Amino acid sequence: MRSVALSTGLLALALLVAAEEQKPIFEKTSVQAPFLEQFTSDWLSRWTPSEATKKTPVGTETFSYVGQWKVEEPSTPIIEGDTGLVAKSKAAHHAISAPLKAPLDFKDKPLVVQYEVKYQKGGNCGGGYLKLLEDGFQTSPTEFSDQTPWVVMFGPDLTCPGTKVHFIFRHKNPITGEYEEKHLTGGPVPTIDKATKLYTLVVNPDNTYSVTIDNGKPSTGSLLTDFNPPVNPPKEIDDPEDKKPEDWVDAKRIPDPDATKPDDWDDDAPYEVVDEDAVKPEGWLDDEPQAIPDPDSEKPEEWDEEEDGDWIAPTVPNPKCADAAGCGEWKKPMKPNPAYRGKWYAPVIDNPDYKGEWAPRKIPNPNYFEDSDPVKNLEKIGGVGIELWTMTEDILFDNLYIGHSLEDAQRLAEQTFEVKKKIEEDAKKVEEKAEAEEAGDLQTVFKDDPIGFVREKVFEFIEIAKIDLVFAAKAMPEVAAGLGFVALFFVGALFSLLFGGSSSKPSAPSKKSDAPTPDDEPRADAAPVSKAGEKEKKTDTPVKKRK
């Protein structure tokens, strides 16, 4: 009994410790960058919702960017006080932009783009990408639209069906002066769920790039080889004036012109014929119908034959046919026709006049150029915009970094994304365990192992309470009540041992026990605040936990 009481008391103390641990607290990062956005209360001083209209490819109908934007906490808060930019509207065009403090040139320094996206309602046809806008758009931010020139487009897109990570850059043809979009081929494929996702792009001055999802393994390559259409056009092109000669034969095989249909070949022979050798089975009831009027049915009392016509009883299967070989008129069955050969076709032979596949002759490409250093020819970046159509509401954007330092971007991710990722993964494990238990995968039964069953429930409650104590109490009220009673009993027993009476004589003034009492606990409002994820070693993360 003593070991059981001790175990229960330790569990109660563990619960009390878990209850003291609250959500991490948001604190603005100390990381610096040409553009860094955490969507704090002054966000509207930087961001401008679009007031432009978006024209359809055909006709004159226009769609305004009516999608609503809000800065708010996630629907399931993770870091207390942390807010993000949320595309609130379903089935709507959204557009919003913010300028950089100064135009960003990445000819000689890496371009680093990193941000978080959270599809809070799950994936259902919706973009989550950014547009790095060409310098100069700042003069009319309210007119930001799909026609606004941009330099780089990057981020996830649910294309219904399918998902992809866009990495597109607009490259200027040095001969024609026209811009052409270059799309990354074979990039990483994101997994879209309700968890926070981190997307990182690095474009280096040597024309290499890397795309990373959730700080995983980067997908790397070159701007010169991995994009469609390629940066540099082909040296030769098909001659548009060259036409295939009329007598050109490009049929490789033809029906044999010398072949003839055999005299005994009957194109019209049917696939099946009557089986003349078939014999009617014994016990076949020729005079019995397969269905008879239902003998148990009766004409409804309200039936009026003058208005409703003659009443006819519904039919049911003839019970006499159930045990017989069959009922009704017997007919000989069909069988495959041994004379059937189908329609005759001449056999195919090699074409003696075949000249091969025709192709127009090649000529030098008049628009050929060679840009061996395309990153040097990309425009400066003047701002960032989010312009998308979505069937999914409540897409949340947060912690945008645009600059030159991958190390700084990673440091920001450690302070924000990694904290969220750990909490969300823990919550998912608890959820999966609960689902598995509900499905019967966990076979711990109270009558077989009552102590193990209670311990399992208590640990499950503690894991949920680490994330949200209130939610844990609502989800498992019986465990919360039981542990609350145990905690009170444990504290009462401890109080009795320390201060309980022993004799009728007045007791001498007792010395203060070394055991902590409620008065000895530090006040919550005076408690020091430590960094999120801090164990024994201090880090520079601005996310903090209350102890």
Side-chain angles (χ1 to χ4, degrees):
M1 286 295 292
R2 183 176 180 181
S3 62
V4 173
L6 181 58
S7 175
T8 306
L10 291 175
L11 290 176
L13 288 176
L15 177 59
L16 292 175
V17 171
E20 288 296 323
E21 185 177 1
Q22 299 186 11
K23 295 185 183 71
I25 304 170
F26 171 79
E27 183 175 319
K28 193 172 181 179
T29 182
S30 60
V31 174
Q32 300 294 316
F35 185 88
L36 197 151
E37 180 61 76
Q38 294 187 288
F39 297 103
T40 48
S41 58
D42 58 345
W43 71 281
L44 274 174
S45 65
R46 297 179 294 275
W47 290 83
T48 303
S50 174
E51 298 176 5
T53 57
K54 179 175 168 54
K55 293 185 178 180
T56 58
V58 293
T60 58
E61 184 181 6
T62 62
F63 293 93
S64 298
Y65 287 96
V66 296
Q68 184 183 18
W69 295 98
K70 280 189 176 181
V71 166
E72 60 187 15
E73 287 190 340
S75 55
T76 304
I78 300 175
I79 298 176
E80 185 176 337
D82 182 32
T83 55
L85 179 65
V86 181
K88 296 295 294 181
S89 307
K90 184 177 182 179
H93 293 275
H94 293 72
I96 194 169
S97 62
L100 273 62
K101 296 177 181 178
L104 185 68
D105 190 341
F106 53 100
K107 293 179 175 58
D108 301 315
K109 297 180 181 179
L111 169 64
V112 180
V113 183
Q114 179 176 278
Y115 70 108
E116 298 171 8
V117 181
K118 183 178 178 67
Y119 285 79
Q120 300 184 92
K121 298 294 180 65
N124 179 27
C125 296
Y129 43 82
L130 304 180
K131 289 182 176 180
L132 305 187
L133 305 177
E134 190 175 308
D135 185 33
F137 94 97
Q138 304 95 316
T139 58
S140 54
T142 57
E143 295 302 313
F144 168 54
S145 71
D146 61 330
Q147 301 301 313
T148 302
W150 48 271
V151 182
V152 171
M153 178 173 161
F154 172 65
D157 190 14
L158 277 72
T159 53
C160 296
T163 59
K164 64 176 69 174
V165 173
H166 288 299
F167 172 24
I168 312 170
F169 64 92
R170 293 175 73 244
H171 180 262
K172 185 177 181 179
N173 185 314
I175 296 177
T176 65
E178 297 180 351
Y179 288 88
E180 188 174 43
E181 295 180 5
K182 310 297 182 180
H183 294 246
L184 175 65
T185 59
V189 178
T191 300
I192 303 298
D193 51 27
K194 296 181 181 181
T196 302
K197 309 294 288 184
L198 183 73
Y199 295 91
T200 307
L201 168 69
V202 179
V203 181
N204 296 303
D206 63 356
N207 298 292
T208 60
Y209 71 87
S210 69
V211 175
T212 309
I213 302 176
D214 294 346
N215 279 339
K217 183 179 179 181
S219 175
T220 61
S222 170
L223 301 184
L224 292 166
T225 58
D226 300 339
F227 289 78
N228 185 42
V231 169
N232 295 308
K235 291 183 178 181
E236 293 184 325
I237 61 171
D238 293 339
D239 183 356
E241 304 297 330
D242 191 17
K243 307 296 182 184
K244 183 171 69 172
E246 294 182 359
D247 61 348
W248 189 275
V249 178
D250 53 10
K252 191 172 184 178
R253 292 174 64 80
I254 59 172
D256 185 356
D258 298 327
T260 57
K261 183 172 67 174
D263 294 336
D264 61 347
W265 193 288
D266 184 2
D267 286 336
D268 299 325
Y271 178 72
E272 289 184 324
V273 294
V274 176
D275 184 1
E276 299 295 346
D277 297 328
V279 178
K280 181 171 65 175
E282 293 185 4
W284 190 279
L285 305 178
D286 297 86
D287 299 329
E288 289 290 341
Q290 293 184 356
I292 61 172
D294 185 356
D296 297 328
S297 65
E298 296 180 357
K299 183 173 68 175
E301 294 182 359
E302 64 275 11
W303 190 275
D304 188 339
E305 293 189 353
E306 292 183 359
E307 294 183 4
D308 303 326
D310 294 336
W311 181 80
I312 301 175
T315 59
V316 295
N318 188 345
K320 294 182 180 179
C321 298
D323 299 326
C327 291
E329 181 184 0
W330 181 81
K331 294 181 180 180
K332 291 184 178 181
M334 304 294 287
K335 69 175 183 178
N337 183 3
Y340 173 76
R341 301 175 73 178
K343 186 174 179 60
W344 181 86
Y345 295 95
V348 178
I349 62 172
D350 291 336
N351 188 352
D353 298 324
Y354 175 67
K355 294 184 177 182
E357 295 292 333
W358 182 86
R361 62 175 173 266
K362 297 291 185 179
I363 62 172
N365 184 356
N367 295 320
Y368 173 75
F369 64 86
E370 184 174 3
D371 184 354
S372 59
D373 206 2
V375 75
K376 296 291 191 296
N377 296 314
L378 298 183
E379 302 293 344
K380 294 180 181 179
I381 297 170
V384 58
I386 305 174
E387 187 271 324
L388 49 85
W389 158 265
T390 176
M391 288 297 295
T392 300
E393 70 272 31
D394 291 346
I395 303 176
L396 184 145
F397 300 81
D398 201 3
N399 296 310
L400 277 66
Y401 175 97
I402 302 174
H404 301 296
S405 173
L406 179 59
E407 290 74 18
D408 285 347
Q410 291 175 335
R411 189 154 60 94
L412 175 64
E414 290 173 0
Q415 299 169 0
T416 55
F417 170 73
E418 293 296 343
V419 176
K420 299 176 185 178
K421 179 182 177 182
K422 175 65 168 59
I423 295 174
E424 288 177 334
E425 287 179 346
D426 290 345
K428 186 176 181 180
K429 290 177 182 178
V430 173
E431 181 181 1
E432 290 175 347
K433 182 179 179 181
E435 291 176 352
E437 184 176 18
E438 184 175 355
D441 293 339
L442 299 180
Q443 302 298 324
T444 303
V445 181
F446 180 78
K447 64 179 181 179
D448 297 331
D449 184 8
I451 295 177
F453 179 84
V454 172
R455 182 184 293 110
E456 182 177 292
K457 290 295 183 182
V458 170
F459 284 147
E460 181 180 342
F461 180 88
I462 292 173
E463 289 299 319
I464 300 175
K466 289 180 180 179
I467 302 169
D468 192 325
L469 179 60
V470 175
F471 177 80
K474 291 181 179 179
M476 306 177 70
E478 68 285 353
V479 179
L483 288 175
F485 175 80
V486 170
L488 290 175
F489 176 81
F490 185 78
V491 172
L494 184 61
F495 187 88
S496 177
L497 289 173
L498 294 174
F499 305 109
S502 58
S503 66
S504 58
K505 295 182 180 180
S507 58
S510 59
K511 295 183 180 179
K512 185 175 180 179
S513 171
D514 291 334
T517 68
D519 292 334
D520 295 325
E521 294 294 329
R523 291 175 56 85
D525 57 357
V529 182
S530 62
K531 307 292 184 182
E534 183 175 82
K535 296 181 180 177
E536 294 180 359
K537 182 180 179 181
K538 295 185 177 179
T539 67
D540 59 353
T541 172
V543 182
K544 301 189 285 187
K545 292 183 179 179
R546 296 193 184 103
K547 294 295 184 181

